Amino acid sequence: MARNLLWKDLTGQQLESIRHPHPKKGLTGRDLLAKYNGLTDYQQNRKTAIHLDVYINTLQFGEEQKFSDDKLSGLFSIVKTVHHRSTDEALTMERSFLLFKELLLMHSVQRPPYSLGLFTYAEMRKIMEWMLDSYYRHYKLYQYSYTNRITLSATYSSPSDIVELPPELPPLAKALTQAEHDAVLTAEERKREQDAAAAAAAAAEAAEAERQAKLREEYEAAIPDEIKDRVAAALEQELGRLQRVMEEQFAAQQAELLAKIALLESGGGGGKTGLTPGSSLVTPGASVQRPMSSSSQSQAKHAAATAAVAAAAAAASPAAPPS
């Protein structure tokens, strides 16, 4: 049959379990009805709870009218179809009521395969009166409950926020004369020239240092290995000679100091030194050699190295470094 809703959503066994739920399973008729129609989240979802209320009111009306299971199942499917299409498609009340009348007539006239004579004329009138008094009486509330909320965010802007304001000018009391303005410009120009000259001088100095370093590297690379070996040997020989001279000077100074100490000790005891007032440990005109400091030793080594390099260079006569 075309658009036959009999036993579509609820079977006779399900209707019986809703009327008499099993006490040991802990489920009520409301829970079973929600389970059979996929509304298990009705306790958290507000829209699902509204669906379930419509279904329960439909079954209660059918029970009050003492409808059989087939009539109760057909009425339930008709109301469910009208309710879902009205909310999902946002139908007007007139279009929703036309849909309801069409489905009710298709289940009230026995014309197979186009319609099924499930309800009598009296039952059809009672169903229509009940729908008008219960469902369509609160139709706008149902539509409002299933309408998505749209929040409008509005901002207010003043015309002064849109129009660009001119910049604030300084007072005339702070204005400069032409001579002062020219002096400021001249000072700024002079400072820019000095900065540019300093930057150019620094760049030229860096370039010159780089050139000298490159020339030094090229000059050192041009020296033959034989000259380098001779310079190293001469340097080592000169350093050895300076070391021997320094050791001899240190030994002589140590011997002279020991002799003076012995002379002081042999002059007398008890704190007497045997020296007359104004006398000196050093004979006038005599020179006392002192040990060389570290700076003097470094200068001596540098002089020795310079002499060794000069001697080796004079022996090999290499080309002078370019300038």
Side-chain angles (χ1 to χ4, degrees), residues 49-290:
I50 295 175
H51 287 318
L52 187 59
D53 289 341
V54 174
Y55 301 162
I56 291 175
N57 292 334
T58 303
L59 293 181
Q60 288 178 351
F61 171 75
E63 291 292 337
E64 291 174 0
Q65 300 298 322
K66 301 185 182 306
F67 286 162
S68 59
D69 289 349
D70 54 351
K71 294 182 179 182
L72 194 58
S73 175
L75 175 63
F76 181 86
S77 298
I78 291 173
V79 174
K80 180 179 179 180
T81 302
V82 171
H83 175 66
H84 277 277
R85 286 194 58 182
S86 298
T87 56
D88 294 343
E89 302 176 12
L91 300 179
T92 60
M93 186 183 300
E94 291 76 10
R95 292 186 58 187
S96 176
F97 186 68
L98 288 176
L99 174 63
F100 168 70
K101 287 196 302 182
E102 180 182 357
L103 293 177
L104 186 60
L105 286 173
M106 287 182 179
H107 292 79
S108 301
V109 179
Q110 185 67 21
R111 277 199 318 167
Y114 302 103
S115 61
L116 175 66
L118 185 61
F119 301 105
T120 63
Y121 178 75
E123 292 171 344
M124 183 180 66
R125 289 183 60 87
K126 289 181 179 180
I127 293 173
M128 188 171 296
E129 291 176 358
W130 170 77
M131 281 291 289
L132 288 173
D133 187 58
S134 61
Y135 185 78
Y136 288 105
R137 185 177 181 180
H138 307 94
Y139 186 78
K140 290 185 178 181
L141 292 178
Y142 286 116
Q143 292 294 327
Y144 176 79
S145 300
Y146 291 97
T147 301
N148 295 327
R149 303 293 185 270
I150 300 177
T151 303
L152 178 62
S153 177
T155 57
Y156 171 77
S157 60
S158 176
S160 60
D161 299 335
I162 302 174
V163 179
E164 184 178 359
L165 299 177
E168 185 178 357
L169 298 177
L172 292 177
K174 296 182 179 180
L176 300 177
T177 62
Q178 185 64 35
E180 293 174 346
H181 182 65
D182 294 341
V184 171
L185 293 180
T186 303
E188 292 178 353
E189 183 66 23
R190 186 181 301 109
K191 187 177 183 303
R192 285 195 296 268
E193 292 177 356
Q194 291 176 356
D195 294 341
E205 184 178 355
E208 181 63 20
E210 184 179 0
R211 188 180 71 85
Q212 292 293 339
K214 186 179 297 184
L215 290 176
R216 191 178 301 108
E217 292 177 359
E218 293 177 355
Y219 172 70
E220 293 177 356
I223 298 176
D225 294 339
E226 182 181 358
I227 301 302
K228 293 181 180 179
D229 295 339
R230 289 182 182 180
V231 171
L235 180 60
E236 185 177 358
Q237 183 179 1
E238 183 65 19
L239 289 176
R241 186 186 67 79
L242 291 175
Q243 186 176 3
R244 288 192 300 273
V245 170
M246 292 174 62
E247 290 177 355
E248 292 175 359
Q249 291 178 356
F250 179 74
Q253 293 174 2
Q254 186 176 11
E256 184 178 358
L257 290 175
L258 290 175
K260 291 180 179 180
I261 292 172
L263 179 60
L264 291 174
E265 291 177 350
S266 62
K272 296 182 179 180
T273 60
L275 297 177
T276 60
S279 63
S280 175
L281 293 176
V282 184
T283 306
S287 61
V288 179
Q289 296 180 353
R290 297 180 180 179

